PDB file of all heavy atoms in Angstrom:
ATOM      1  N   LEU A  21     149.765 161.137 132.330  1.00 42.00           N
ATOM      2  CA  LEU A  21     148.475 161.651 132.393  1.00 42.00           C
ATOM      3  C   LEU A  21     147.940 161.719 133.781  1.00 42.00           C
ATOM      4  O   LEU A  21     147.259 162.678 134.187  1.00 42.00           O
ATOM      5  CB  LEU A  21     147.516 160.737 131.562  1.00 42.00           C
ATOM      6  CG  LEU A  21     146.229 161.456 131.066  1.00 42.00           C
ATOM      7  CD1 LEU A  21     146.452 162.701 130.353  1.00 42.00           C
ATOM      8  CD2 LEU A  21     145.459 160.475 130.153  1.00 42.00           C
ATOM      9  N   LEU A  22     148.235 160.654 134.589  1.00 38.00           N
ATOM     10  CA  LEU A  22     147.770 160.693 135.956  1.00 38.00           C
ATOM     11  C   LEU A  22     148.883 160.091 136.882  1.00 38.00           C
ATOM     12  O   LEU A  22     149.096 160.611 137.932  1.00 38.00           O
ATOM     13  CB  LEU A  22     146.535 159.952 136.180  1.00 38.00           C
ATOM     14  CG  LEU A  22     145.145 160.635 135.806  1.00 38.00           C
ATOM     15  CD1 LEU A  22     144.059 159.717 136.073  1.00 38.00           C
ATOM     16  CD2 LEU A  22     144.990 161.880 136.659  1.00 38.00           C
ATOM     17  N   LEU A  28     151.819 152.541 136.301  1.00 33.00           N
ATOM     18  CA  LEU A  28     150.872 152.232 135.253  1.00 33.00           C
ATOM     19  C   LEU A  28     150.791 150.735 134.823  1.00 33.00           C
ATOM     20  O   LEU A  28     149.773 150.228 134.693  1.00 33.00           O
ATOM     21  CB  LEU A  28     151.240 153.046 133.926  1.00 33.00           C
ATOM     22  CG  LEU A  28     150.801 154.447 133.947  1.00 33.00           C
ATOM     23  CD1 LEU A  28     151.678 155.292 132.952  1.00 33.00           C
ATOM     24  CD2 LEU A  28     149.320 154.597 133.764  1.00 33.00           C
ATOM     25  N   SER A  31     148.615 148.175 136.879  1.00 34.00           N
ATOM     26  CA  SER A  31     147.205 148.256 137.097  1.00 34.00           C
ATOM     27  C   SER A  31     146.558 148.131 135.648  1.00 34.00           C
ATOM     28  O   SER A  31     145.352 148.425 135.567  1.00 34.00           O
ATOM     29  CB  SER A  31     146.754 149.568 137.603  1.00 34.00           C
ATOM     30  OG  SER A  31     147.319 150.676 137.046  1.00 34.00           O
ATOM     31  N   LEU A  32     147.187 147.735 134.675  1.00 33.00           N
ATOM     32  CA  LEU A  32     146.603 147.698 133.295  1.00 33.00           C
ATOM     33  C   LEU A  32     145.680 146.562 133.275  1.00 33.00           C
ATOM     34  O   LEU A  32     144.719 146.533 132.278  1.00 33.00           O
ATOM     35  CB  LEU A  32     147.745 147.428 132.225  1.00 33.00           C
ATOM     36  CG  LEU A  32     148.318 148.782 131.766  1.00 33.00           C
ATOM     37  CD1 LEU A  32     149.453 148.383 130.784  1.00 33.00           C
ATOM     38  CD2 LEU A  32     147.354 149.733 131.021  1.00 33.00           C
ATOM     39  N   CYS A  34     143.456 145.747 135.632  1.00 38.00           N
ATOM     40  CA  CYS A  34     142.591 146.009 136.915  1.00 38.00           C
ATOM     41  C   CYS A  34     141.260 145.324 136.597  1.00 38.00           C
ATOM     42  O   CYS A  34     140.846 145.112 135.502  1.00 38.00           O
ATOM     43  CB  CYS A  34     142.499 147.400 137.220  1.00 38.00           C
ATOM     44  SG  CYS A  34     141.877 148.475 135.815  1.00 38.00           S
ATOM     45  N   SER A  38     136.461 148.733 138.797  1.00 48.00           N
ATOM     46  CA  SER A  38     136.754 150.143 138.609  1.00 48.00           C
ATOM     47  C   SER A  38     136.011 150.905 137.653  1.00 48.00           C
ATOM     48  O   SER A  38     136.234 152.151 137.316  1.00 48.00           O
ATOM     49  CB  SER A  38     138.263 150.238 138.432  1.00 48.00           C
ATOM     50  OG  SER A  38     138.586 149.736 137.176  1.00 48.00           O
ATOM     51  N   THR A  39     135.183 150.128 136.847  1.00 59.00           N
ATOM     52  CA  THR A  39     134.462 150.850 135.726  1.00 59.00           C
ATOM     53  C   THR A  39     133.073 151.189 136.076  1.00 59.00           C
ATOM     54  O   THR A  39     132.220 151.419 135.267  1.00 59.00           O
ATOM     55  CB  THR A  39     134.377 149.851 134.574  1.00 59.00           C
ATOM     56  OG1 THR A  39     133.696 148.658 134.904  1.00 59.00           O
ATOM     57  CG2 THR A  39     135.813 149.433 134.134  1.00 59.00           C
ATOM     58  N   TRP A  42     130.943 153.936 134.304  1.00 91.00           N
ATOM     59  CA  TRP A  42     130.509 153.833 132.904  1.00 91.00           C
ATOM     60  C   TRP A  42     129.081 153.213 132.880  1.00 91.00           C
ATOM     61  O   TRP A  42     128.727 152.535 133.742  1.00 91.00           O
ATOM     62  CB  TRP A  42     131.498 152.892 132.068  1.00 91.00           C
ATOM     63  CG  TRP A  42     132.913 153.369 131.964  1.00 91.00           C
ATOM     64  CD1 TRP A  42     133.938 153.056 132.595  1.00 91.00           C
ATOM     65  CD2 TRP A  42     133.320 154.292 130.950  1.00 91.00           C
ATOM     66  NE1 TRP A  42     135.026 153.720 132.187  1.00 91.00           N
ATOM     67  CE2 TRP A  42     134.636 154.435 131.261  1.00 91.00           C
ATOM     68  CE3 TRP A  42     132.634 155.021 129.941  1.00 91.00           C
ATOM     69  CZ2 TRP A  42     135.397 155.316 130.370  1.00 91.00           C
ATOM     70  CZ3 TRP A  42     133.366 155.886 129.162  1.00 91.00           C
ATOM     71  CH2 TRP A  42     134.805 156.097 129.406  1.00 91.00           C
ATOM     72  N   MET A  60     138.058 144.307 125.709  1.00 97.00           N
ATOM     73  CA  MET A  60     137.532 145.603 125.924  1.00 97.00           C
ATOM     74  C   MET A  60     137.349 146.117 127.345  1.00 97.00           C
ATOM     75  O   MET A  60     137.413 147.302 127.739  1.00 97.00           O
ATOM     76  CB  MET A  60     135.989 145.617 125.194  1.00 97.00           C
ATOM     77  CG  MET A  60     136.159 145.365 123.646  1.00 97.00           C
ATOM     78  SD  MET A  60     137.214 146.507 122.836  1.00 97.00           S
ATOM     79  CE  MET A  60     136.543 148.155 123.173  1.00 97.00           C
ATOM     80  N   LEU A  61     136.966 145.067 128.174  1.00 97.00           N
ATOM     81  CA  LEU A  61     136.884 145.424 129.653  1.00 97.00           C
ATOM     82  C   LEU A  61     138.295 145.784 130.299  1.00 97.00           C
ATOM     83  O   LEU A  61     138.267 146.783 131.035  1.00 97.00           O
ATOM     84  CB  LEU A  61     136.259 144.209 130.374  1.00 97.00           C
ATOM     85  CG  LEU A  61     134.760 143.838 130.109  1.00 97.00           C
ATOM     86  CD1 LEU A  61     134.405 142.569 130.778  1.00 97.00           C
ATOM     87  CD2 LEU A  61     134.002 145.001 130.491  1.00 97.00           C
ATOM     88  N   ASP A  62     139.257 145.192 129.787  1.00 97.00           N
ATOM     89  CA  ASP A  62     140.583 145.490 130.293  1.00 97.00           C
ATOM     90  C   ASP A  62     140.952 146.911 129.845  1.00 97.00           C
ATOM     91  O   ASP A  62     141.492 147.698 130.633  1.00 97.00           O
ATOM     92  CB  ASP A  62     141.652 144.615 129.635  1.00 97.00           C
ATOM     93  CG  ASP A  62     141.792 143.255 130.438  1.00 97.00           C
ATOM     94  OD1 ASP A  62     141.152 143.207 131.542  1.00 97.00           O
ATOM     95  OD2 ASP A  62     142.413 142.279 129.985  1.00 97.00           O
ATOM     96  N   LEU A  63     140.577 147.290 128.595  1.00 97.00           N
ATOM     97  CA  LEU A  63     140.898 148.705 128.110  1.00 97.00           C
ATOM     98  C   LEU A  63     140.159 149.718 128.845  1.00 97.00           C
ATOM     99  O   LEU A  63     140.664 150.842 129.328  1.00 97.00           O
ATOM    100  CB  LEU A  63     140.541 148.823 126.687  1.00 97.00           C
ATOM    101  CG  LEU A  63     141.496 147.945 125.669  1.00 97.00           C
ATOM    102  CD1 LEU A  63     140.956 147.941 124.264  1.00 97.00           C
ATOM    103  CD2 LEU A  63     142.991 148.308 125.704  1.00 97.00           C
ATOM    104  N   PHE A  64     138.832 149.536 129.012  1.00 96.00           N
ATOM    105  CA  PHE A  64     137.911 150.522 129.817  1.00 96.00           C
ATOM    106  C   PHE A  64     138.375 150.578 131.323  1.00 96.00           C
ATOM    107  O   PHE A  64     138.287 151.511 131.979  1.00 96.00           O
ATOM    108  CB  PHE A  64     136.517 150.128 129.579  1.00 96.00           C
ATOM    109  CG  PHE A  64     135.936 150.604 128.232  1.00 96.00           C
ATOM    110  CD1 PHE A  64     135.936 149.798 127.172  1.00 96.00           C
ATOM    111  CD2 PHE A  64     135.468 151.957 128.248  1.00 96.00           C
ATOM    112  CE1 PHE A  64     135.359 150.325 126.057  1.00 96.00           C
ATOM    113  CE2 PHE A  64     134.892 152.420 127.125  1.00 96.00           C
ATOM    114  CZ  PHE A  64     134.805 151.659 126.029  1.00 96.00           C
ATOM    115  N   SER A  65     138.687 149.368 131.790  1.00 95.00           N
ATOM    116  CA  SER A  65     139.140 149.406 133.274  1.00 95.00           C
ATOM    117  C   SER A  65     140.421 150.225 133.471  1.00 95.00           C
ATOM    118  O   SER A  65     140.565 150.816 134.453  1.00 95.00           O
ATOM    119  CB  SER A  65     139.331 147.925 133.735  1.00 95.00           C
ATOM    120  OG  SER A  65     138.157 147.149 133.721  1.00 95.00           O
ATOM    121  N   SER A  66     141.325 150.049 132.481  1.00 95.00           N
ATOM    122  CA  SER A  66     142.602 150.804 132.545  1.00 95.00           C
ATOM    123  C   SER A  66     142.354 152.294 132.487  1.00 95.00           C
ATOM    124  O   SER A  66     142.967 153.082 133.269  1.00 95.00           O
ATOM    125  CB  SER A  66     143.551 150.374 131.443  1.00 95.00           C
ATOM    126  OG  SER A  66     143.901 148.990 131.525  1.00 95.00           O
ATOM    127  N   VAL A  67     141.537 152.742 131.509  1.00 95.00           N
ATOM    128  CA  VAL A  67     141.218 154.083 131.388  1.00 95.00           C
ATOM    129  C   VAL A  67     140.574 154.567 132.703  1.00 95.00           C
ATOM    130  O   VAL A  67     140.922 155.722 133.256  1.00 95.00           O
ATOM    131  CB  VAL A  67     140.236 154.369 130.166  1.00 95.00           C
ATOM    132  CG1 VAL A  67     139.652 155.829 130.263  1.00 95.00           C
ATOM    133  CG2 VAL A  67     140.948 154.184 128.984  1.00 95.00           C
ATOM    134  N   ASP A  68     139.583 153.893 133.296  1.00 92.00           N
ATOM    135  CA  ASP A  68     139.001 154.281 134.529  1.00 92.00           C
ATOM    136  C   ASP A  68     139.987 154.403 135.673  1.00 92.00           C
ATOM    137  O   ASP A  68     139.870 155.191 136.551  1.00 92.00           O
ATOM    138  CB  ASP A  68     137.801 153.351 134.789  1.00 92.00           C
ATOM    139  CG  ASP A  68     136.669 153.961 135.661  1.00 92.00           C
ATOM    140  OD1 ASP A  68     136.109 154.944 135.259  1.00 92.00           O
ATOM    141  OD2 ASP A  68     136.649 153.581 136.935  1.00 92.00           O
ATOM    142  N   ALA A  69     140.882 153.397 135.770  1.00 91.00           N
ATOM    143  CA  ALA A  69     141.756 153.389 136.814  1.00 91.00           C
ATOM    144  C   ALA A  69     142.706 154.593 136.844  1.00 91.00           C
ATOM    145  O   ALA A  69     143.127 155.074 137.885  1.00 91.00           O
ATOM    146  CB  ALA A  69     142.574 152.086 136.783  1.00 91.00           C
ATOM    147  N   HIS A  70     143.206 154.979 135.704  1.00 92.00           N
ATOM    148  CA  HIS A  70     144.118 156.075 135.585  1.00 92.00           C
ATOM    149  C   HIS A  70     143.471 157.452 135.404  1.00 92.00           C
ATOM    150  O   HIS A  70     143.923 158.560 135.918  1.00 92.00           O
ATOM    151  CB  HIS A  70     145.006 155.835 134.332  1.00 92.00           C
ATOM    152  CG  HIS A  70     145.726 154.550 134.441  1.00 92.00           C
ATOM    153  ND1 HIS A  70     146.517 154.159 135.596  1.00 92.00           N
ATOM    154  CD2 HIS A  70     145.748 153.466 133.587  1.00 92.00           C
ATOM    155  CE1 HIS A  70     147.033 153.028 135.331  1.00 92.00           C
ATOM    156  NE2 HIS A  70     146.609 152.491 134.252  1.00 92.00           N
ATOM    157  N   LEU A  71     142.318 157.525 134.804  1.00 92.00           N
ATOM    158  CA  LEU A  71     141.619 158.792 134.500  1.00 92.00           C
ATOM    159  C   LEU A  71     140.403 159.091 135.311  1.00 92.00           C
ATOM    160  O   LEU A  71     139.848 160.094 135.278  1.00 92.00           O
ATOM    161  CB  LEU A  71     141.297 158.817 132.960  1.00 92.00           C
ATOM    162  CG  LEU A  71     142.496 158.701 132.000  1.00 92.00           C
ATOM    163  CD1 LEU A  71     141.894 158.911 130.652  1.00 92.00           C
ATOM    164  CD2 LEU A  71     143.581 159.608 132.308  1.00 92.00           C
ATOM    165  N   GLY A  72     139.824 158.088 135.930  1.00 91.00           N
ATOM    166  CA  GLY A  72     138.665 158.198 136.742  1.00 91.00           C
ATOM    167  C   GLY A  72     138.519 159.442 137.537  1.00 91.00           C
ATOM    168  O   GLY A  72     137.473 160.055 137.443  1.00 91.00           O
ATOM    169  N   PRO A  73     139.502 159.733 138.380  1.00 91.00           N
ATOM    170  CA  PRO A  73     139.442 161.029 139.179  1.00 91.00           C
ATOM    171  C   PRO A  73     139.276 162.266 138.390  1.00 91.00           C
ATOM    172  O   PRO A  73     138.958 163.290 138.963  1.00 91.00           O
ATOM    173  CB  PRO A  73     140.612 161.005 140.071  1.00 91.00           C
ATOM    174  CG  PRO A  73     141.066 159.506 140.110  1.00 91.00           C
ATOM    175  CD  PRO A  73     140.633 158.969 138.692  1.00 91.00           C
ATOM    176  N   HIS A  74     139.740 162.189 137.146  1.00 92.00           N
ATOM    177  CA  HIS A  74     139.799 163.400 136.272  1.00 92.00           C
ATOM    178  C   HIS A  74     138.550 163.443 135.328  1.00 92.00           C
ATOM    179  O   HIS A  74     138.552 164.287 134.420  1.00 92.00           O
ATOM    180  CB  HIS A  74     141.050 163.456 135.456  1.00 92.00           C
ATOM    181  CG  HIS A  74     142.168 163.781 136.356  1.00 92.00           C
ATOM    182  ND1 HIS A  74     143.268 164.713 135.936  1.00 92.00           N
ATOM    183  CD2 HIS A  74     142.571 163.542 137.638  1.00 92.00           C
ATOM    184  CE1 HIS A  74     144.141 164.849 136.917  1.00 92.00           C
ATOM    185  NE2 HIS A  74     143.713 164.084 137.877  1.00 92.00           N
ATOM    186  N   LEU A  75     137.602 162.443 135.488  1.00 94.00           N
ATOM    187  CA  LEU A  75     136.491 162.494 134.538  1.00 94.00           C
ATOM    188  C   LEU A  75     135.232 162.749 135.379  1.00 94.00           C
ATOM    189  O   LEU A  75     135.164 162.226 136.588  1.00 94.00           O
ATOM    190  CB  LEU A  75     136.409 161.109 133.862  1.00 94.00           C
ATOM    191  CG  LEU A  75     137.519 160.635 132.929  1.00 94.00           C
ATOM    192  CD1 LEU A  75     137.297 159.240 132.470  1.00 94.00           C
ATOM    193  CD2 LEU A  75     137.609 161.645 131.799  1.00 94.00           C
ATOM    194  N   ARG A 101     132.038 160.512 128.735  1.00 96.00           N
ATOM    195  CA  ARG A 101     132.504 160.993 129.935  1.00 96.00           C
ATOM    196  C   ARG A 101     133.327 162.211 129.740  1.00 96.00           C
ATOM    197  O   ARG A 101     134.445 162.074 129.118  1.00 96.00           O
ATOM    198  CB  ARG A 101     132.990 159.975 130.882  1.00 96.00           C
ATOM    199  CG  ARG A 101     132.128 158.910 131.316  1.00 96.00           C
ATOM    200  CD  ARG A 101     132.767 157.871 132.232  1.00 96.00           C
ATOM    201  NE  ARG A 101     133.215 158.572 133.464  1.00 96.00           N
ATOM    202  CZ  ARG A 101     133.994 157.916 134.419  1.00 96.00           C
ATOM    203  NH1 ARG A 101     134.334 156.693 134.184  1.00 96.00           N
ATOM    204  NH2 ARG A 101     134.285 158.624 135.482  1.00 96.00           N
ATOM    205  N   ILE A 109     141.808 166.151 129.732  1.00 93.00           N
ATOM    206  CA  ILE A 109     140.772 165.370 129.033  1.00 93.00           C
ATOM    207  C   ILE A 109     139.525 166.217 128.593  1.00 93.00           C
ATOM    208  O   ILE A 109     138.938 166.816 129.436  1.00 93.00           O
ATOM    209  CB  ILE A 109     140.285 164.165 129.784  1.00 93.00           C
ATOM    210  CG1 ILE A 109     141.510 163.331 130.166  1.00 93.00           C
ATOM    211  CG2 ILE A 109     139.266 163.371 128.980  1.00 93.00           C
ATOM    212  CD1 ILE A 109     142.240 162.596 129.084  1.00 93.00           C
ATOM    213  N   PHE A 111     136.959 164.720 126.531  1.00 95.00           N
ATOM    214  CA  PHE A 111     136.031 163.694 126.795  1.00 95.00           C
ATOM    215  C   PHE A 111     136.487 162.335 126.335  1.00 95.00           C
ATOM    216  O   PHE A 111     137.417 162.250 125.505  1.00 95.00           O
ATOM    217  CB  PHE A 111     134.608 163.903 126.123  1.00 95.00           C
ATOM    218  CG  PHE A 111     134.637 163.931 124.665  1.00 95.00           C
ATOM    219  CD1 PHE A 111     134.372 162.821 123.943  1.00 95.00           C
ATOM    220  CD2 PHE A 111     134.814 165.123 124.051  1.00 95.00           C
ATOM    221  CE1 PHE A 111     134.350 162.747 122.510  1.00 95.00           C
ATOM    222  CE2 PHE A 111     134.774 165.163 122.566  1.00 95.00           C
ATOM    223  CZ  PHE A 111     134.606 163.918 121.922  1.00 95.00           C
ATOM    224  N   ILE A 112     136.038 161.243 126.933  1.00 96.00           N
ATOM    225  CA  ILE A 112     136.232 159.922 126.647  1.00 96.00           C
ATOM    226  C   ILE A 112     134.958 159.285 126.030  1.00 96.00           C
ATOM    227  O   ILE A 112     133.891 159.379 126.662  1.00 96.00           O
ATOM    228  CB  ILE A 112     136.786 159.035 127.808  1.00 96.00           C
ATOM    229  CG1 ILE A 112     137.881 159.662 128.470  1.00 96.00           C
ATOM    230  CG2 ILE A 112     137.050 157.601 127.290  1.00 96.00           C
ATOM    231  CD1 ILE A 112     139.301 159.456 127.900  1.00 96.00           C
ATOM    232  N   LEU A 113     135.095 158.637 124.933  1.00 96.00           N
ATOM    233  CA  LEU A 113     133.882 158.078 124.309  1.00 96.00           C
ATOM    234  C   LEU A 113     134.091 156.619 124.185  1.00 96.00           C
ATOM    235  O   LEU A 113     135.141 156.076 123.674  1.00 96.00           O
ATOM    236  CB  LEU A 113     133.598 158.641 122.880  1.00 96.00           C
ATOM    237  CG  LEU A 113     132.340 158.227 122.186  1.00 96.00           C
ATOM    238  CD1 LEU A 113     131.757 159.358 121.269  1.00 96.00           C
ATOM    239  CD2 LEU A 113     132.680 157.076 121.234  1.00 96.00           C
ATOM    240  N   LEU A 133     136.877 152.761 121.503  1.00 97.00           N
ATOM    241  CA  LEU A 133     137.294 153.598 122.622  1.00 97.00           C
ATOM    242  C   LEU A 133     138.226 154.696 122.097  1.00 97.00           C
ATOM    243  O   LEU A 133     139.138 154.492 121.417  1.00 97.00           O
ATOM    244  CB  LEU A 133     138.138 152.680 123.644  1.00 97.00           C
ATOM    245  CG  LEU A 133     138.788 153.478 124.837  1.00 97.00           C
ATOM    246  CD1 LEU A 133     137.692 154.191 125.636  1.00 97.00           C
ATOM    247  CD2 LEU A 133     139.619 152.589 125.668  1.00 97.00           C
ATOM    248  N   SER A 134     137.666 155.995 122.277  1.00 96.00           N
ATOM    249  CA  SER A 134     138.369 157.085 121.830  1.00 96.00           C
ATOM    250  C   SER A 134     138.443 158.161 122.776  1.00 96.00           C
ATOM    251  O   SER A 134     137.618 158.273 123.675  1.00 96.00           O
ATOM    252  CB  SER A 134     137.719 157.621 120.520  1.00 96.00           C
ATOM    253  OG  SER A 134     136.451 158.049 120.757  1.00 96.00           O
ATOM    254  N   ALA A 135     139.501 158.991 122.726  1.00 96.00           N
ATOM    255  CA  ALA A 135     139.719 160.079 123.817  1.00 96.00           C
ATOM    256  C   ALA A 135     140.153 161.344 123.051  1.00 96.00           C
ATOM    257  O   ALA A 135     141.030 161.232 122.219  1.00 96.00           O
ATOM    258  CB  ALA A 135     140.672 159.606 124.846  1.00 96.00           C
ATOM    259  N   LEU A 146     143.310 159.730 121.103  1.00 97.00           N
ATOM    260  CA  LEU A 146     143.451 158.328 121.040  1.00 97.00           C
ATOM    261  C   LEU A 146     142.260 157.696 120.305  1.00 97.00           C
ATOM    262  O   LEU A 146     141.150 158.129 120.333  1.00 97.00           O
ATOM    263  CB  LEU A 146     143.389 157.730 122.503  1.00 97.00           C
ATOM    264  CG  LEU A 146     143.192 156.196 122.672  1.00 97.00           C
ATOM    265  CD1 LEU A 146     144.599 155.601 122.336  1.00 97.00           C
ATOM    266  CD2 LEU A 146     142.796 155.816 124.097  1.00 97.00           C
ATOM    267  N   LEU A 148     140.877 153.688 119.283  1.00 98.00           N
ATOM    268  CA  LEU A 148     140.949 152.203 119.314  1.00 98.00           C
ATOM    269  C   LEU A 148     139.592 151.743 118.770  1.00 98.00           C
ATOM    270  O   LEU A 148     138.535 151.958 119.457  1.00 98.00           O
ATOM    271  CB  LEU A 148     141.226 151.684 120.688  1.00 98.00           C
ATOM    272  CG  LEU A 148     142.549 152.003 121.402  1.00 98.00           C
ATOM    273  CD1 LEU A 148     142.535 151.557 122.786  1.00 98.00           C
ATOM    274  CD2 LEU A 148     143.690 151.198 120.663  1.00 98.00           C
ATOM    275  N   LEU A 243     147.425 151.953 124.444  1.00 97.00           N
ATOM    276  CA  LEU A 243     146.868 152.680 125.427  1.00 97.00           C
ATOM    277  C   LEU A 243     147.791 153.084 126.576  1.00 97.00           C
ATOM    278  O   LEU A 243     147.703 154.240 127.003  1.00 97.00           O
ATOM    279  CB  LEU A 243     145.707 151.748 126.037  1.00 97.00           C
ATOM    280  CG  LEU A 243     144.976 152.466 127.173  1.00 97.00           C
ATOM    281  CD1 LEU A 243     144.311 153.842 126.831  1.00 97.00           C
ATOM    282  CD2 LEU A 243     143.883 151.557 127.767  1.00 97.00           C
ATOM    283  N   ARG A 244     148.674 152.233 126.932  1.00 96.00           N
ATOM    284  CA  ARG A 244     149.668 152.549 128.009  1.00 96.00           C
ATOM    285  C   ARG A 244     150.575 153.790 127.466  1.00 96.00           C
ATOM    286  O   ARG A 244     150.875 154.668 128.212  1.00 96.00           O
ATOM    287  CB  ARG A 244     150.541 151.240 128.330  1.00 96.00           C
ATOM    288  CG  ARG A 244     151.550 151.526 129.395  1.00 96.00           C
ATOM    289  CD  ARG A 244     152.650 150.532 129.470  1.00 96.00           C
ATOM    290  NE  ARG A 244     153.561 150.485 128.302  1.00 96.00           N
ATOM    291  CZ  ARG A 244     154.503 151.272 128.142  1.00 96.00           C
ATOM    292  NH1 ARG A 244     154.798 152.192 129.020  1.00 96.00           N
ATOM    293  NH2 ARG A 244     155.237 151.183 126.970  1.00 96.00           N
ATOM    294  N   TRP A 246     149.776 155.982 125.340  1.00 95.00           N
ATOM    295  CA  TRP A 246     148.999 157.236 125.317  1.00 95.00           C
ATOM    296  C   TRP A 246     148.816 157.702 126.828  1.00 95.00           C
ATOM    297  O   TRP A 246     149.061 159.033 127.091  1.00 95.00           O
ATOM    298  CB  TRP A 246     147.615 157.019 124.794  1.00 95.00           C
ATOM    299  CG  TRP A 246     146.830 158.275 124.688  1.00 95.00           C
ATOM    300  CD1 TRP A 246     146.841 159.189 123.809  1.00 95.00           C
ATOM    301  CD2 TRP A 246     145.695 158.596 125.552  1.00 95.00           C
ATOM    302  NE1 TRP A 246     145.964 160.267 123.961  1.00 95.00           N
ATOM    303  CE2 TRP A 246     145.282 159.927 125.090  1.00 95.00           C
ATOM    304  CE3 TRP A 246     145.154 157.979 126.698  1.00 95.00           C
ATOM    305  CZ2 TRP A 246     144.213 160.545 125.705  1.00 95.00           C
ATOM    306  CZ3 TRP A 246     144.074 158.614 127.326  1.00 95.00           C
ATOM    307  CH2 TRP A 246     143.609 159.876 126.822  1.00 95.00           C
ATOM    308  N   LEU A 247     148.608 156.898 127.722  1.00 94.00           N
ATOM    309  CA  LEU A 247     148.476 157.304 129.091  1.00 94.00           C
ATOM    310  C   LEU A 247     149.700 157.950 129.574  1.00 94.00           C
ATOM    311  O   LEU A 247     149.700 158.954 130.476  1.00 94.00           O
ATOM    312  CB  LEU A 247     147.977 156.145 130.004  1.00 94.00           C
ATOM    313  CG  LEU A 247     146.594 155.645 129.758  1.00 94.00           C
ATOM    314  CD1 LEU A 247     146.402 154.309 130.506  1.00 94.00           C
ATOM    315  CD2 LEU A 247     145.567 156.657 130.222  1.00 94.00           C
TER     316      LEU A 247
END
Side-chain angles (χ1 to χ4, degrees):
L21 200 55
L22 279 181
L28 280 164
S31 56
L32 274 176
C34 56
S38 66
T39 62
W42 295 100
M60 297 309 300
L61 290 175
D62 279 348
L63 295 174
F64 277 93
S65 294
S66 297
V67 169
D68 203 68
H70 303 305
L71 304 184
H74 287 220
L75 298 175
R101 293 180 62 186
I109 302 295
F111 65 90
I112 307 279
L113 182 149
L133 172 61
S134 58
L146 172 72
L148 292 167
L243 177 58
R244 184 193 66 80
W246 183 77
L247 289 168

